[in-house]
Amino acid sequence: MTDIHADLRSATDLPAALERQGIETVVLGGSDTHGVMRGKRLPTRQLARVLEHGLALCDVFWVMHVDESGLVARPDGHTGYFPTERQGFPDILARPDVDTLRVVPWLPDTALILCDWHLPHGAGPVPISPRAVLRRAVDRARDLGFDPLSALELEFYLLHEPPGTHHRKRAAELVPLQERPSTYGVVLGSLQEDVGALIRNRMLRYDLPIEACNPETGPGQFEINLRYAPSLRAADHAFLFKSAVKEVAAQQDLLATFMAKPNGDWAGNSCHIHVSLRDERDGGAFFDAAAPDGISTTMRHFAGGVLATMREFTALMAPTPNSYRRFVPYSWAGTTATWGIDNRSVGLRVITEGDRGTRLEHRQPGGDVNPYIATAALLAGGLHGITNKIEPPPLTDVDVYGRPAEEAEWLPTAPAEAVDLLAGSRTAREWLGDDFVDHYVLMKRAELHAQSLAVTDWEVARYLEAM
């Protein structure tokens, strides 16, 4: 990676630089709405043409169900961007972001470049593109005089299940890498260190900023922390990490899943997101030494906006029906619109570590979240709070999980409610765009409809004989 960039003088030199390094294949990929990487592989010698003109792909992937079992139809009267067979599913263009170039260490002679999705004929970014939505949120933060920084803490399970197949087992029949949980366990963690070290080392060679790795609360569950970075870069890191872990695990005949709750008896997979702002002098905008607890007015208003929008943004943080299985007490998930200093029972945890380290941790998202969408939603809520000077409720230092329901604002626990709240959110539309919100809502309603038609194992076990 370093040699390639040292050899690189400009984007037009990239193909030659890659060929000198023995790179024969370039993966060009980007995020769909679900957070799945879509793209193509191309010979390195074709890269010069793609850098100039972009790479054409059919726009159908924007309306595919996450399991690709069918397509979501555009409703009659829908006015925003929404691919449809009525228009013949035309091409969009993948435009490489060469700053994201990296060598893929688990594949021979291969590099990867993330792309931005663009409409043809110079019509601009695809308005529903998650990376474009986050880029707009970051740009608006900069217009207000701030540079946002983020870090995502991702949890996942490794399972002895064949990747790339139809998965027809009941949840209780899934076989984890290790049967016993061992939260932060060093001794039992050693039993999974062969694959754990392999993943860490592959990610580091992939130029991802791994900070730490530990066994988590579930059997065969890992948490790997990524170091903070500018928010778009941090979301890129998380997006690349999720795909990379799946690929590396598959080479070991393992299935890596970031599904929020693969088994009702296991701990859920979280994706807690840390965020802070730097001001125009590159100082920590969330810290004020003279303020109570060091919490600046900017941080207070940012938190106020996040808390005020948590209910209506829940569908962005919890994208599938399975996401809501995490939202129970003592699950390490944020279940209320509350905040507190170093309190892991609240929805928004405050960490006070001076000028550079004071930050907020959003505890609602799960491992199944799209990193771009979740980060954009977090910034949108916070910046909405800053621009409107929204005051948050008082900090809490109690166990929110154990408090009576009427003493806290509980977040939606049903996906249909969350999607309806998002559909009616003026703040989401103002900050994320009507096209994005309308498309996202339609995709999630289609997912709920698919779930409503499914006969579950629970139903069969409960009703087959009794009825």
Side-chain angles (χ1 to χ4, degrees), residues 31-65:
S31 175
D32 70 1
T33 302
H34 306 294
V36 175
M37 187 181 292
R38 306 288 179 183
K40 292 184 178 182
R41 284 172 164 81
L42 55 144
T44 302
R45 66 185 61 183
Q46 295 294 324
L47 184 58
R49 175 184 58 82
V50 171
L51 288 171
E52 183 177 358
H53 301 290
L55 181 68
L57 292 87
C58 174
D59 69 0
V60 69
F61 67 81
W62 293 115
V63 294
M64 294 191 305
H65 283 278

Side-chain angles (χ1 to χ4, degrees), residues 279-296:
D279 60 25
E280 293 171 326
R281 297 169 298 174
D282 198 33
F286 279 1
F287 178 70
D288 180 352
D293 301 307
I295 296 173
S296 71

Side-chain angles (χ1 to χ4, degrees), residues 70-255:
L71 304 179
V72 179
R74 184 174 74 176
D76 292 336
H78 185 86
T79 57
Y81 178 85
F82 199 95
T84 173
E85 75 281 358
R86 301 171 205 170
Q87 297 173 336
F89 290 122
D91 282 341
I92 56 174
L93 296 175
R95 295 199 176 278
D97 180 348
V98 296
D99 290 338
T100 66
L101 167 71
R102 62 202 65 228
V103 172
V104 183
W106 58 90
L107 296 175
D109 306 322
T110 300
L112 178 142
I113 307 174
L114 288 176
C115 69
D116 290 303
W117 305 114
H118 280 254
L119 299 169
H121 312 301
V126 172
I128 62 174
S129 165
R131 195 169 192 255
V133 169
L134 174 55
R135 191 189 294 277
R136 290 197 299 270
V138 169
D139 287 344
R140 292 185 71 175
R142 289 174 177 162
D143 289 342
L144 294 171
F146 301 110
D147 280 318
L149 303 176
S150 309
L152 292 87
E153 299 176 346
L154 284 155
E155 296 174 353
F156 59 94
Y157 280 93
L158 290 180
L159 308 175
H160 289 290
E161 303 295 339
T165 65
H166 291 291
H167 301 287
R168 305 191 186 281
K169 284 185 176 181
R170 300 175 65 182
E173 296 171 335
L174 296 173
V175 181
L177 179 68
Q178 185 173 296
E179 290 186 2
R180 287 189 58 193
S182 183
T183 308
Y184 295 132
V186 174
V187 174
L188 286 182
S190 298
L191 301 180
Q192 57 195 37
E193 179 59 2
D194 285 350
V195 67
L198 179 69
I199 290 173
R200 289 197 310 275
N201 293 334
R202 290 285 192 271
M203 297 306 106
L204 288 168
R205 290 177 57 198
Y206 197 39
D207 201 28
L208 294 181
I210 303 301
E211 278 200 326
C213 171
N214 59 272
E216 259 298 338
T217 307
Q221 188 184 31
F222 288 75
E223 177 180 324
I224 295 184
N225 298 331
L226 297 164
R227 185 167 176 77
Y228 74 88
S231 287
L232 182 61
R233 180 78 57 84
D236 283 342
H237 290 161
F239 174 67
L240 290 165
F241 176 83
K242 292 178 73 171
S243 291
V245 167
K246 286 179 172 290
E247 290 188 26
V248 172
Q251 290 182 344
Q252 308 304 309
D253 295 321
L254 295 169
L255 187 148

